[in-house]
């Protein structure tokens, strides 16, 4: 499932009133969103399950090139803490595989209290990768996940480590793990989930994305500052910045083929 490209999107596909002219009717919010962007992150799956039929409906609402990232349930990461998750994974994957070929990435976000333990981490990612063809991305938040042993484990198992903003430690500001995928999540600064990114910050984000894309791996960038509706406007601005900057990647050409 290796693909090349640089793609920007948001967590969820809600369209605030301030952006409605950028996403004209007709269609559902998802259909309208998918006319402007090529990826989206489903984070509601972290809190509650969705029926397979719901994922199938979402998949049928978007173009063939469109891809979804889906966040794994908190029962696996925060309650079981990556231990004995086989049954939970089977149920979750049976649901999410309703997306079919449009399932691009599974996102594993870990609690800040969960340290890196190689046997537990290795067992979890081995279990998950055997059950799905989707690529894996992990957003750890305990400092121990940013040391050499964790980096090596993630790289060997082809798990991309998320670059997060704000970063819990300096190393978390840049992608790590498997180099085939760089996955950014911009949560909002200074107030996480709420703050709008100013022009200077968006310019910095655009340059970082461009520099990462130049390394040859695929880049996914997700704005998660959705609480007051800033994510969509920020994503539009960064997407417009990078469209002419990626060699050979016009907006029309940057498809997930």
């Amino acid at each position: 499932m290796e693909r090349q490209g640089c793609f920007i999107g948001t967590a969820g596909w809600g369209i605030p009133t301030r952006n409605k002219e950028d996403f004209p009717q007709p269609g559902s919010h998802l259909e309208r969103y998918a006319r402007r962007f090529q990826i989206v992150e489903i984070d509601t799956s972290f809190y509650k399950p969705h029926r397979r039929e719901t994922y199938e409906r979402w998949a049928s609402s978007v173009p063939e090139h469109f891809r979804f990232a889906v966040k794994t349930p908190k029962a696996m990461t925060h309650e079981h803490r990556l231990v004995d998750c086989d049954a939970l994974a089977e149920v979750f994957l049976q649901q999410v595989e309703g997306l079919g070929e449009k399932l691009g990435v599974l996102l594993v976000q870990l609690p800040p209290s969960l340290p890196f333990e190689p046997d537990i981490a290795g067992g979890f990612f081995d279990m998950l990768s055997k059950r799905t063809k989707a690529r894996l991305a992990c957003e750890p938040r305990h400092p121990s996940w940013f040391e050499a042993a964790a980096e090596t484990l993630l790289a060997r198992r082809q798990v991309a480590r998320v670059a997060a903003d704000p970063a819990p430690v300096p190393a978390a500001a840049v992608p790590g793990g498997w180099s085939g995928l760089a996955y950014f999540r911009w949560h909002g600064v200074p107030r996480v989930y709420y703050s709008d990114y100013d022009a200077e910050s968006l310019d910095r984000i655009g340059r970082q994305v461009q520099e990462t894309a130049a390394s040859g791996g695929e880049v996914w960038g997700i704005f998660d500052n959705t609480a007051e509706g800033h994510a969509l406007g920020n994503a539009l601005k960064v997407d417009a910045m990078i469209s002419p900057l990626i060699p050979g990647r016009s907006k029309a050409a940057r498809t997930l083929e």
Side-chain angles (χ1 to χ4, degrees), residues 75-87:
M76 296 165 63
T77 55
H78 290 55
E79 296 169 13
H80 279 239
R81 298 171 70 84
L82 308 185
V83 177
D84 295 330
C85 293
D86 299 60

Side-chain angles (χ1 to χ4, degrees), residues 17-91:
T17 301
R18 69 172 75 98
N19 297 117
K20 67 179 182 179
E21 300 302 322
D22 297 307
F23 299 86
Q25 299 276 8
S28 66
H29 277 210
L30 176 56
E31 289 171 326
R32 294 160 62 193
Y33 173 98
R35 295 189 195 118
R36 293 296 304 268
F37 295 109
Q38 298 179 60
I39 62 168
V40 76
E41 182 183 283
I42 299 173
D43 61 353
T44 52
S45 52
F46 176 78
Y47 302 99
K48 63 179 182 180
H50 298 298
R51 298 169 61 229
R52 184 184 180 95
E53 292 78 8
T54 300
Y55 285 110
E56 291 172 346
R57 175 167 51 83
W58 288 337
S60 68
S61 299
V62 299
E64 287 300 314
H65 64 260
F66 193 90
R67 294 294 182 268
F68 294 84
V70 186
K71 197 171 179 181
T72 57
K74 65 178 181 178
M76 296 165 63
T77 55
H78 290 55
E79 296 169 13
H80 279 239
R81 298 171 70 84
L82 308 185
V83 177
D84 295 330
C85 293
D86 299 60
L88 292 169
E90 288 289 349
V91 172

Side-chain angles (χ1 to χ4, degrees), residues 218-230:
E218 185 169 303
V219 179
W220 285 42
I222 298 293
F223 282 93
D224 189 34
N225 52 334
T226 57
E228 292 187 349
H230 296 303

Side-chain angles (χ1 to χ4, degrees), residues 6-10 39 182-186 209 219-223 235:
C6 183
F7 309 100
I8 303 297
T10 62
I39 62 168
Y183 199 108
F184 291 86
R185 299 187 85 219
W186 301 293
V209 166
V219 179
W220 285 42
I222 298 293
F223 282 93

Side-chain angles (χ1 to χ4, degrees), residues 111-249:
S113 62
L114 185 64
F116 173 69
E117 297 182 46
D119 291 343
I120 292 175
F124 175 82
F125 287 115
D126 286 345
M127 177 276 298
L128 199 55
S129 63
K130 289 176 183 177
R131 287 169 163 79
T132 181
K133 294 187 292 184
R135 291 165 295 175
L136 304 179
C138 179
E139 183 177 9
R141 290 179 284 181
H142 190 279
S144 60
W145 282 85
F146 301 92
E147 298 174 358
E151 182 75 4
T152 298
L153 184 145
L154 293 174
R156 287 178 176 172
R157 286 169 168 78
Q158 296 193 346
V159 179
R161 177 171 53 73
V162 169
D165 186 54
V169 299
V174 296
W178 182 50
S179 61
L181 173 67
Y183 199 108
F184 291 86
R185 299 187 85 219
W186 301 293
H187 299 294
V189 178
R191 190 181 181 195
V192 174
Y193 308 128
Y194 286 85
S195 290
D196 191 9
Y197 284 99
D198 60 22
E200 182 179 355
S201 297
L202 293 175
D203 182 66
R204 170 182 54 81
I205 287 170
R207 284 187 279 106
Q208 185 181 23
V209 166
Q210 182 193 6
E211 290 165 3
T212 304
S215 68
E218 185 169 303
V219 179
W220 285 42
I222 298 293
F223 282 93
D224 189 34
N225 52 334
T226 57
E228 292 187 349
H230 296 303
L232 206 56
N234 290 168
L236 285 168
K237 290 175 182 176
V238 171
D239 192 58
M241 289 178 196
I242 67 173
S243 292
L245 297 177
I246 305 299
R249 297 282 175 174

